[in-house]
Amino acid sequence: MTSTLPAATTPTVPAQRPPAPKNVRDTRPSLRFRSSRPDLVLCGVLLAAILVVQGWNIADYPTLSDDEGTYLAQAWAVQQGKGLAHYTYWYDHPPLGWIQIALLIWIPAHLSPSSMTVGSMRTAMLLISAVSAVLVYVLARRLSLPTWAAGLAMVLFGLSPLSVVLQREIFLDNIAVMWTLLAFCLAASPSRHLWHHFGAGIAAAAAVLTKETMLVILPALFVTMWRHSHRDTRKFALTGAVTACALIGLAYPLFALLKGELFPGSGHVSLWDGITYQMSRPGSGFVLDPGSGSYGVLHSWLYYDRVLPLGGLAGALLLLVTWRWSVTARALAGPALTVAILALVAMRPSGYLPAMYVIQALPFLALVLAGGAASVSHAVLRRWRDTTEKTYVTWGRRGLAAVLVVAAGAYVVPEWYDGDRTAVTTDANAPYRAASAWLRSEVKDPRDTRVLVDDALWLDLVHQGYRPGLGVIWFYKADLDPAVTRTMPRGWRDLDYVVASPTVRRDAVDLPTVKAAIEHSTPVATFGRGEDRIEIRHINDTTTTATSGGSR
Amino acid sequence: MLTSVFIAAISLVLFWMAAFTLWWQMHAWRTPEVLASTRFSSPDGGEGLSFSLLLPARHEQAVLDHTIQRLLESGHTDFEIIVIVGHDDPETTAVARAAEARDPRVRVVVDHHEKKNKPKAMNTALPHCRGDVVGVFDAEDQVHPELLAHVDHAFRTTGADVVQGGVQLINFHSSWYSLRNCLEYFFWFRSRLHLHAQKGFIPLGGNTVFVRTDVLREADGWDPDCLAEDCDLGVRLSSVGKKVVVAYDSDMVTKEETPGSLMSLLKQRTRWNQGFLQVYRKRDWKQLPGFGQRLLARYTLMTPYLQAVSGVIIPLNVAIALFLDVPVGIAFITFLPAVTALVTFVFELVGLHDFGKQYGLRVRFVHYLKLIVGGPFYQVLLAGAAVRAVWREQRGRNDWELTSHVGAHLTEAIREDVPA
């Protein structure tokens, strides 16, 4: 039998292990999540709670979002072998996100094709949420947080009403968050293995290819990796990670290049145009300016939960300020930096702040808030404590800690209870279901009917026999996609119905054909009330009956 | 469709080959603990073993005396130096005899074989060895004075049968190929050899290798007909379960220089490759107990073949992917080997930086540039040497290219092992 000289890796000759140089010894407690029973039990219990709260009533709350419909429909197109989208893929986002969705729900979609609707396929997001929640716990432990703080981070991440609402939805951000968390977990691997860091680079690339905004988080990931690598192997580990990330990331431009769509040209879409569009989206104003759209977005988040966003920001601030003194602060440098970066990016006055922006911050807000709590608890219970401390001081410390816990609980629990109860009881999607049912039962000839709908309802109609793409049409494609407008030579007159959901009414302002279609139609059925109502409007075209319009 | 499947399959095979090679090449840097374990542990001051150091020298009168002097400066107290010279080489013999007269620790053994090579020379000296451990050096080696003490300690603390120390080419600035040649040694001795030791299958290096004398005699010394007798010895010893230990310390390595010309590098590489093929065909590695070990042995010894084949296939594959109209997904797969090659490139750059740090050598920007630009050309050289080795082996040309003799009769002996 043979072995390397000191045979550190060969258990049969342990005596040869040299006294490893001091700097190699690991001072952190070696954590083996898989074999630590308290960790497994706590994580398992919390995971069950999160799954129940997030899963209960998942199809009916929150309101179906247009974006969910977009991604799910594109996943459907991937499953059907229609390419990356059923309309021309125009490099709006890297496609890895919905490719993953397609793979994830391949089997259920195959067994029951009609279940491919936004409401029922939200269930798949439970899996993503579950993996992410466990990764938050693992990451917290790898960043040296105590068990209770890791559990706290997981609860904050999984049970905040804001998280419950957003993580239920089929958003690319949720999937990208999972990859990012995996990258952080690998970066903070206790074994400091070269290939773990390499894997972190790959996971980071997967995150960016799922949702490109993850790009801004990479510096924080790099910092985490730097902190968790060893001086002697660091240069290999970090270059390996960066190389892996870059090479995988380059697959996207390479894909565009292979399709001849890297640079703009006449008659085809291009990656360049896609990026230009995303970078030049009209800004939504400064986030703290009460009149701006960003301010509205911020308040829509705070409406669901103030604790996680504001508490997390405060926690990040606390950790960055106490960097010099607090071990916890240094351990959580990566998440704190992530929160800082995301906060700064959100503060750009000219930037566009989408509603799902906060999703990528949620795990890191949870981690820094839990870290802040751990830091405070340490300060209250342990700091400046020595063996001669008087008993009443010790009890004073404990009393203070108890008061803080009770106060925090008293503030958070009622708020969250209300928020989460809404999430598990409210039915926000009855109008959508009713509209879908109406279009199924009342329209006699779906194959020859052309109808503008928002993306959330699109797959429902596809399953009901409408022709995907040109029969049932994503409403904005009627104005924006030349391949669709070409089939509507007479504009709105070539349509039969418009399903005017809140999204359609909101965006119609900038879409002349959609606007005209709404103006030249009358409601034949209305579901819901007020702003949230969904109207099915029949086009009043008296000149001809609009049928079978458009070539396929 | 068939083309696509074919290209994809070839690409995946190449990808896995490159990925495994990379994985093994980076072995030492996997974790800080592994890296720390590749070093010699510090000697405790005690000495227990005596050494017989073999120094085969052939037409090396210019450097021999200096090497002997360096060896005599060793801090170890119990060793002898056996200089092996040829009966037809009076100049070298004179230098050796002079050293023998000066110091009782030096002895000269004359090799009378008609056709000379290194294994025969060393086998001639083996009966004369009085030490517990036989060590091998080359006549031009620069050996560190503390090396023997470290090796002594390693033998005693690990119970090893064989200790392989590091050998390092140093003159990376001499030419574009010496840069790559140095780095090859760096990755081989610094990293990959440790993996082989750990897995229990190891082709030994040509010098700075130490074997217990009784183990060596039991194995009948070196194979005189093998062009890579060092590799062969390692394979034979590890295949019967002898314990091999590898240690690499940048200040304890034996320093050497790259071959002086591109042609001599090509010849040297051809000889090694042919030697590896011979060892493969001797099938001693089949005795290895583990399936994984045998697979590693097969792969390592076949490397020249694989290099020759992949040298032809990779360009062909890329050309097909570029010029034939294949689906985007397949095109992606054809890029996989290239991606792995790029990762290897990047790690080589970092390795060069580390090499400079370890040896206190100043690596300039131009060297990094040379490393990258020279990469493909070096690959061509390797592929050329591999093709040449396969060619020579098939033609039964089995001589050491240092001499002009053609060992046609040796070929017969080896051919008996060849499966039909």
Side-chain angles (χ1 to χ4, degrees), chain A residues 1-4 6 16 194 235, chain B residues 30 37 197 200 241-244:
Chain A
M1 87 134 272
T2 60
S3 76
T4 49
Q16 297 159 32
L194 174 66
K235 56 182 150 195
Chain B
R30 285 192 317 183
S37 76
K242 298 296 179 198
K243 177 165 171 169
V244 182

Side-chain angles (χ1 to χ4, degrees), chain A residues 4 41 82 93 134 174 176 186 197 203 233 311 323 374 405 428 454 462 502:
Chain A
T4 49
V41 169
K82 293 173 189 284
H93 296 293
V134 172
N174 283 319
L186 287 172
H197 286 145
T233 49
W323 169 276
V405 169
D454 75 12
V462 169

Side-chain angles (χ1 to χ4, degrees), chain A residues 467-490:
Chain A
R467 279 185 298 127
L470 297 176
V472 50
I473 303 167
W474 282 1
F475 67 100
Y476 51 89
K477 293 287 179 188
D479 280 292
L480 299 180
D481 190 339
V484 177
T485 48
R486 211 178 301 131
T487 68
M488 299 169 49
R490 302 184 306 137

Side-chain angles (χ1 to χ4, degrees), chain A residues 161-440:
Chain A
L162 180 60
S163 304
V164 172
V165 167
L166 289 174
Q167 288 172 15
R168 282 178 171 189
E169 299 191 65
I170 305 172
F171 286 149
L172 302 181
D173 307 66
N174 283 319
I175 304 171
V177 158
M178 180 184 75
W179 285 111
T180 309
L181 284 170
L182 181 64
F184 271 87
C185 281
L186 287 172
S189 160
S191 65
R192 298 173 289 183
H193 203 295
L194 174 66
W195 301 112
H196 290 179
H197 286 145
F198 198 81
I202 294 177
V208 172
L209 290 183
T210 303
K211 181 78 190 230
E212 64 282 0
T213 47
M214 283 298 172
L215 213 51
V216 299
I217 289 178
L218 296 187
L221 180 65
F222 189 83
V223 167
T224 308
M225 216 178 290
W226 183 283
R227 284 189 48 80
H228 285 265
S229 54
H230 187 269
R231 192 163 42 92
D232 291 347
T233 49
R234 181 173 292 145
K235 56 182 150 195
F236 289 96
L238 292 188
T239 15
V242 171
T243 309
C245 187
L247 285 177
I248 305 280
L250 282 177
Y252 187 42
L254 178 68
F255 166 77
L257 183 70
L258 286 173
K259 289 187 67 177
E261 295 176 342
L262 185 57
F263 297 109
S266 67
H268 68 81
V269 295
S270 73
L271 175 60
W272 185 264
D273 288 332
I275 295 174
T276 317
Y277 165 78
Q278 292 289 5
M279 300 301 284
S280 62
R281 277 171 97 149
S284 49
F286 183 50
V287 71
L288 297 179
D289 168 15
S292 70
S294 297
Y295 185 80
V297 169
L298 175 66
H299 274 263
S300 72
W301 300 335
L302 297 181
Y303 164 79
Y304 289 107
D305 186 22
R306 290 167 177 274
V307 177
L308 188 54
L310 299 183
L313 271 178
L317 211 59
L318 174 76
L319 293 178
L320 290 176
V321 168
T322 58
W323 169 276
R324 283 177 61 95
W325 309 284
S326 165
V327 184
T328 314
R330 285 193 294 277
L332 284 170
L337 191 57
T338 309
V339 170
I341 292 174
L342 289 174
L344 286 176
V345 172
M347 304 267 269
R348 288 173 311 148
S350 59
Y352 169 68
L353 191 64
M356 51 276 253
Y357 181 83
V358 77
I359 291 178
Q360 52 197 329
L362 289 175
F364 301 101
L365 289 166
L367 281 165
V368 292
L369 186 49
S375 206
V376 169
S377 115
H378 180 83
V380 170
L381 290 173
R382 304 253 161 72
R383 192 158 274 250
W384 298 300
R385 185 174 175 182
D386 53 38
T387 45
T388 61
E389 188 175 89
K390 299 266 189 328
T391 321
Y392 68 87
V393 180
T394 310
W395 279 105
R397 286 172 179 274
R398 288 178 190 167
L400 181 56
V403 169
L404 287 175
V405 169
V406 170
Y411 179 69
V412 174
V413 172
E415 268 206 17
W416 280 23
Y417 179 78
D418 284 345
D420 286 344
R421 198 183 55 167
T422 309
V424 294
T425 53
T426 309
D427 183 0
N429 292 325
Y432 269 98
R433 286 198 307 276
S436 168
W438 192 94
L439 285 163
R440 182 175 60 229

Side-chain angles (χ1 to χ4, degrees), chain A residues 443-456:
Chain A
V443 176
K444 293 289 166 287
D445 191 9
R447 271 214 79 70
D448 289 329
T449 304
R450 306 190 79 192
V451 50
L452 291 185
V453 292
D454 75 12
D455 303 14

Side-chain angles (χ1 to χ4, degrees), chain B residues 103-119:
Chain B
D103 196 306
R105 290 176 293 177
V106 181
R107 293 193 290 141
V108 176
V109 169
V110 180
D111 172 22
H112 289 278
H113 283 97
E114 198 52 44
K115 299 188 182 72
K116 298 203 176 350
N117 64 23
K118 191 175 164 186

